[in-house]
Amino acid sequence: MENKYENFINRELSWLEFNERVLEEAGDKTNPLLERLNFLSIVSSNLDEFFMIRVASLIEQVQANFDKVDFSGLSATEQVKMITSKVHEMVHEKYDTYKDLNVHLKEEKIVIIKPKDLNQSQVDFLHIYFHKNVYPVLTPMVVDSSRPFPLIMNKSLNIALFIDGMDEKENIFATVQVPSVLDRIIEMPVTEGEEKCYILLEDIIKLNINDVFRGHNIKDMACYRITRNADLSIDEEGAEDLLEAIEQSVKNRKWGEAIRIEIEDDMSEELIEVLKDELEGSFGEFYRIKGPIDLTFLSKLKSMVNCEKLKYAAHKPVSVSEFISDSNMFDIISNEDILVHHPYQSFGCVVDLVENAAKDPKVLAIKQTLYRVSGNSPIVKALMEAAENGKQVTVLVELKARFDEENNIIWAKKLEKAGCHVIYGLLGLKIHGKILLVVRNEADGIKRYVHMATGNYNDVTANFYTDIGLFTSNPYIGEDASALFNMLSGYSTIDEMNKLYIAPTGLRKKFISLIRREEENASKGKKSHIIIKINSLVDKETIEALYKASKAGVKIQCIVRGICCLRPGIEGVSENITVRSIVGRFLEHSRIFYFYNDGEEDIYLSSADIMNRNLDKRVEILFPIEAEHNKHKIKNYLEVYLSDNVKARILCSDGRYNRVTFKEEDERINSQNYFAKKAMKQIKKAKKQEKEQKFIPITAY
């Protein structure tokens, strides 16, 4: 297909559209108030990472005079300009939303108070609090001829000041870091019946700033925050010890080039000029903030306020019905492939498998990939116990999992100390595939049990990420799993597997062949249909294959949570393609691929999104769903996602998203609520059946 720039949406602008959808949730009055504040926190956190990685990369290209355009026809310079314009709009909208939510908080007698609104008793309390808890931690830094401008740490909140010098007309610049080791938001004491008041740490410091610079007058004062380039650059080939190299790079992340400078809206031009001069040579754009800089503290406020009516109803994942019996877990998996849908069904069954394997005397070996794990991971603890119990334990810990490097380094060292064989990824590749292999010695010989999933082995994120996992004892998949681990831990190559497809060797080719088969069937006048549910759709070759299939008449439905570079609805190119995004309470994370295949209906799950990095630079796994009852489940999932008219938005050909329209008489379908209710009904039914089976009356013969 001829490459036309207008057929593709720019990746970075598409990501900003995604963050706009998250921001819409903060403004959605159907969401509980504290959850709306939490969405604002997520928007802020998302923007931080976007600047540290994506914008930083573009600025590096601009500095290197790299003028090649991307497949949407935009150069790095043009992208930075468009991003800057869009982000200024988003920041304005974000703080308008924050202002509106504060009004609603006040109606609920919850106030984030400003110093000017404090009464004398509150001022007295904060004065004592400051000297007891804050003052000992502060390090005021003055800039003069003998003391240069200090290095300001990435994402740290700071207060810029002018104080008077020997001459009262002289302005001396000083800066104070708001300590990140202290809570950002502090609850004020209240008397019965009064409003519940909270105050920000920077406002406590400002209120007592004269005690920090005694003997000087404070002439001017305002907060600022710098976001720096945090993309790790590691020469893996030259790094004799990858663990040590990544540890050093994590430390260096604090001091990269300034990419964004956020300042309080009322910061004086004189203070701004000092920051501009001291950050000379930086491409960082200044953003005026009409409110508290860095709204990520709002997630903490949500946890501090004990008011259930202002939050989502508590969600508790239900047990997996197949595992509620007292039967041995391995026996249950031997009988059938078991599909698990998180967070509606508990992640505990995955933890149980590793813990059972660690204790089971029949288990000989456990092999597992770990990309992102929680800070107190029960899975890692079980793997350590397994090694201590004398089992062969191999763990592939991906040290290069962005922003989880430090956590993974800690666990890798502990696993090694416990006797596990730890592998730190592969040269030039990230191991992103999610797979667990348990090798067991049974009466009829060695048997393999495998768990594969679309999401990480993280017991915390499993409570709010939607993912799907498969337990199987299929011998062909077990054989493939062994071959994969042998490839990852040694030098063996994989030519062809029985059931699995692996990136970077064969996954791209498989995707393209599956799309082309639907295209060929459509060309022959046969029914053809593709449904893809992923996080991101970026890869140009795959998008072009989908365009070609669309032109042949294939019906293509894409459910893409985040970035989508495919432009639907273009005449003669993508009329048969629709794209929808679902942003709700849980983060949509599962990757599902459905192909009609002339009625045979092939369904795959994967750890991979359709991005260049996933297909070419990561170890990813695509695995089939073959059991009919599991196929039926996934088709139902897709049907519900495609019916969502509450949290779904439709991508228009101009790159913008509109909420799904519905008629007054239409049933309202919130896919995430639907799955939660369905899981609850299924487990109740299964428990009832289990109970009935346990109390079967004895009958006469």
Side-chain angles (χ1 to χ4, degrees):
M1 187 182 90
E2 183 185 350
N3 178 22
K4 294 183 178 179
Y5 294 137
E6 61 267 25
N7 289 350
F8 300 93
I9 297 169
N10 173 261
R11 171 187 170 143
E12 317 308 343
L13 298 180
S14 179
W15 183 91
L16 286 172
E17 283 291 330
F18 160 66
N19 211 37
E20 183 70 35
R21 297 194 291 282
V22 181
L23 183 51
E24 281 180 13
E25 290 300 308
D28 187 341
K29 293 179 181 178
T30 65
N31 289 324
L33 181 57
L34 291 174
E35 304 296 348
R36 293 169 67 186
L37 287 166
N38 193 50
F39 277 114
L40 274 187
S41 171
I42 295 168
V43 168
S44 298
S45 177
N46 285 349
L47 277 173
D48 284 349
E49 185 169 336
F50 179 66
F51 272 91
M52 287 190 292
I53 304 300
R54 300 305 307 175
V55 178
S57 174
L58 289 169
I59 286 175
E60 285 178 348
Q61 292 176 43
V62 173
Q63 290 172 324
N65 296 315
F66 183 77
D67 57 2
K68 186 178 177 182
V69 299
D70 72 340
F71 59 48
S72 72
L74 296 175
S75 67
T77 302
E78 289 170 321
Q79 290 179 68
V80 170
K81 186 177 179 181
M82 294 171 80
I83 287 167
T84 301
S85 174
K86 177 66 178 172
V87 172
H88 276 294
E89 289 177 17
M90 187 176 288
V91 167
H92 183 76
E93 185 182 350
K94 182 171 74 167
Y95 281 91
D96 277 353
T97 305
Y98 175 74
K99 185 178 177 182
D100 179 56
L101 292 179
N102 266 303
V103 173
H104 294 300
L105 280 174
K106 195 167 180 62
E107 291 168 358
E108 299 292 340
K109 296 190 179 301
I110 300 167
V111 179
I112 301 172
I113 200 164
K114 298 300 289 181
K116 64 183 177 62
D117 299 319
L118 293 167
N119 60 39
Q120 191 56 49
S121 66
Q122 290 172 323
V123 170
D124 294 342
F125 165 79
L126 291 173
H127 183 73
I128 295 168
Y129 181 92
F130 172 79
H131 281 277
K132 185 179 179 181
N133 301 289
V134 184
Y135 183 77
V137 187
L138 291 183
T139 306
M141 292 178 282
V142 172
V143 177
D144 57 23
S145 57
S146 63
R147 288 168 287 200
F149 191 88
L151 274 171
I152 305 300
M153 194 181 296
N154 182 34
K155 295 199 296 179
S156 64
L157 184 61
N158 303 272
I159 303 171
L161 310 99
F162 278 137
I163 60 174
D164 59 7
M166 299 297 290
D167 179 352
E168 285 190 8
K169 293 181 181 178
E170 181 187 9
N171 286 338
I172 296 176
F173 180 85
T175 185
V176 179
Q177 181 178 323
V178 177
S180 58
V181 292
L182 301 178
D183 289 337
R184 172 85 186 278
I185 187 164
I186 293 92
E187 186 173 351
M188 304 277 285
V190 294
T191 55
E192 194 174 342
E194 288 186 359
E195 294 173 326
K196 184 166 277 202
C197 291
Y198 299 87
I199 191 166
L200 294 174
L201 182 57
E202 61 266 30
D203 286 331
I204 298 176
I205 296 170
K206 284 181 178 180
L207 188 68
N208 295 277
I209 198 70
N210 287 313
D211 290 348
V212 180
F213 295 95
R214 284 178 184 165
H216 295 273
N217 292 319
I218 309 299
K219 293 183 169 183
D220 200 358
M221 176 171 56
C223 289
Y224 69 101
R225 180 175 183 258
I226 295 172
T227 313
R228 297 186 178 277
N229 183 338
D231 201 10
L232 299 184
S233 180
I234 303 163
D235 177 13
E236 290 183 58
E237 206 157 350
E240 289 184 18
D241 190 331
L242 184 61
L243 186 70
E244 191 177 313
I246 291 177
E247 279 185 294
Q248 186 56 48
S249 293
V250 169
K251 291 174 186 175
N252 293 343
R253 179 178 273 155
K254 300 173 184 176
W255 313 115
E257 184 181 7
I259 301 300
R260 173 184 59 166
I261 304 98
E262 297 167 281
I263 57 173
E264 279 191 291
D265 188 51
D266 60 358
M267 180 179 275
S268 68
E269 288 301 323
E270 290 78 14
L271 279 175
I272 294 171
E273 284 305 312
V274 173
L275 292 177
K276 282 182 176 177
D277 290 343
E278 295 298 342
L279 297 169
E280 188 179 358
S282 164
F283 274 65
E285 174 81 8
F286 280 75
Y287 290 83
R288 285 189 178 272
I289 306 299
K290 293 184 177 180
I293 295 173
D294 180 17
L295 295 181
T296 56
F297 74 87
L298 292 172
S299 62
K300 179 69 185 297
L301 178 65
K302 175 193 165 186
S303 64
M304 291 172 75
V305 176
N306 187 20
C307 184
E308 297 309 311
K309 72 170 185 174
L310 301 181
K311 302 178 184 181
Y312 288 129
H315 170 75
K316 187 177 180 182
V318 303
S319 302
V320 177
S321 57
E322 289 88 345
F323 292 132
I324 62 171
S325 72
D326 296 330
S327 302
N328 181 291
M329 200 171 188
F330 295 107
D331 292 341
I332 295 168
I333 299 169
S334 287
N335 290 333
E336 61 174 336
D337 287 358
I338 297 167
L339 199 71
V340 183
H341 196 191
H342 310 299
Y344 315 108
Q345 293 176 296
S346 174
F347 185 76
C349 57
V350 182
V351 177
D352 289 344
L353 179 62
V354 187
E355 290 179 343
N356 287 349
K359 295 179 176 69
D360 190 331
K362 293 182 180 179
V363 169
L364 306 176
I366 306 171
K367 301 186 180 188
Q368 187 168 13
T369 59
L370 295 177
Y371 189 72
R372 298 187 195 277
V373 292
S374 66
N376 192 29
S377 173
I379 283 182
V380 175
K381 289 177 182 176
L383 291 169
M384 291 162 64
E385 183 187 349
E388 288 161 0
N389 288 342
K391 302 183 191 308
Q392 182 73 35
V393 180
T394 304
V395 189
L396 291 104
V397 180
E398 183 46 77
L399 295 182
K400 301 184 291 292
R402 186 178 285 144
F403 300 121
D404 267 335
E405 299 95 343
E406 201 164 357
N407 199 37
N408 286 2
I409 287 167
I410 292 167
W411 280 125
K413 288 179 176 178
K414 287 184 177 179
L415 284 162
E416 278 191 324
K417 195 173 180 181
C420 301
H421 180 205
V422 180
I423 300 163
Y424 303 132
L426 296 176
L427 182 65
L429 297 173
K430 281 187 181 180
I431 300 173
H432 191 250
K434 328 297 180 185
I435 188 166
L436 162 66
L437 170 66
V438 176
V439 181
R440 198 165 183 257
N441 189 12
E442 300 184 356
D444 52 353
I446 297 292
K447 189 164 184 175
R448 300 179 182 100
Y449 296 84
V450 179
H451 173 267
M452 298 170 290
T454 65
N456 298 309
Y457 288 109
N458 187 315
D459 56 295
V460 174
T461 58
N463 289 311
F464 53 91
Y465 280 28
T466 74
D467 274 303
I468 305 173
L470 179 72
F471 295 88
T472 183
S473 61
N474 183 305
Y476 297 107
I477 288 178
E479 190 177 306
D480 287 349
S482 289
L484 174 62
F485 278 107
N486 288 341
M487 183 269 286
L488 294 175
S489 62
Y491 281 102
S492 63
T493 57
I494 299 176
D495 297 322
E496 193 172 329
M497 288 190 154
N498 300 304
K499 299 284 186 181
L500 306 185
Y501 296 88
I502 308 297
T505 54
L507 193 48
R508 173 185 291 280
K509 185 179 176 183
K510 180 62 177 176
F511 276 148
I512 299 299
S513 69
L514 290 167
I515 294 167
R516 284 180 179 160
R517 186 177 63 192
E518 294 301 313
E519 177 197 338
E520 288 167 9
N521 285 340
S523 300
K524 295 173 184 174
K526 295 179 178 179
K527 179 182 175 181
S528 54
H529 192 188
I530 297 172
I531 307 174
I532 296 172
K533 181 185 182 295
I534 47 177
N535 301 323
S536 300
L537 176 52
V538 175
D539 182 66
K540 183 172 178 281
E541 183 185 5
T542 309
I543 292 172
E544 287 179 332
L546 290 169
Y547 283 159
K548 200 161 176 246
S550 170
K551 288 166 76 173
V554 180
K555 180 182 179 181
I556 302 170
Q557 294 171 294
C558 301
I559 307 161
V560 186
R561 185 197 79 225
I563 305 166
C564 182
C565 296
L566 179 150
R567 197 183 292 276
I570 304 172
E571 188 177 349
V573 177
S574 56
E575 296 108 319
N576 293 315
I577 304 177
T578 59
V579 179
R580 61 172 46 215
S581 171
I582 294 170
V583 177
R585 173 180 183 172
F586 304 122
L587 184 134
E588 289 296 335
H589 195 253
S590 55
R591 290 95 165 187
I592 307 172
F593 303 89
Y594 168 93
F595 300 90
Y596 184 68
N597 188 22
D598 198 20
E600 291 294 320
E601 295 188 301
D602 288 343
I603 296 175
Y604 298 89
L605 302 179
S606 183
S607 56
D609 286 306
I610 300 183
M611 305 178 77
N612 313 59
R613 72 183 188 192
N614 296 88
L615 302 180
D616 301 328
K617 297 176 182 176
R618 291 185 172 188
V619 175
E620 303 278 12
I621 303 168
L622 178 76
F623 55 97
I625 300 300
E626 296 183 325
E628 285 303 318
H629 67 284
N630 288 332
K631 277 188 172 186
H632 178 76
K633 284 181 183 179
I634 291 182
K635 284 193 290 182
N636 174 252
Y637 298 163
L638 292 172
E639 184 182 337
V640 173
Y641 280 125
L642 292 168
S643 302
D644 192 313
N645 54 15
V646 175
K647 293 299 179 183
R649 281 87 163 172
I650 301 295
L651 175 59
C652 304
S653 57
D654 64 0
R656 295 189 177 274
Y657 287 76
N658 293 327
R659 282 191 179 271
V660 173
T661 55
F662 57 89
K663 296 174 184 176
E664 194 64 38
E665 64 271 17
D666 289 346
E667 180 188 358
R668 304 302 305 276
I669 299 174
N670 179 325
S671 55
Q672 295 183 351
N673 287 352
Y674 174 90
F675 292 132
K677 289 175 183 175
K678 185 170 183 180
M680 189 65 74
K681 287 178 183 176
Q682 286 175 334
I683 193 62
K684 283 181 178 177
K685 182 180 177 182
K687 284 181 176 178
K688 185 180 177 183
Q689 290 174 342
E690 177 74 7
K691 190 175 181 180
E692 288 172 352
Q693 287 171 1
K694 284 183 177 179
F695 295 98
I696 299 172
I698 299 171
T699 56
Y701 291 96

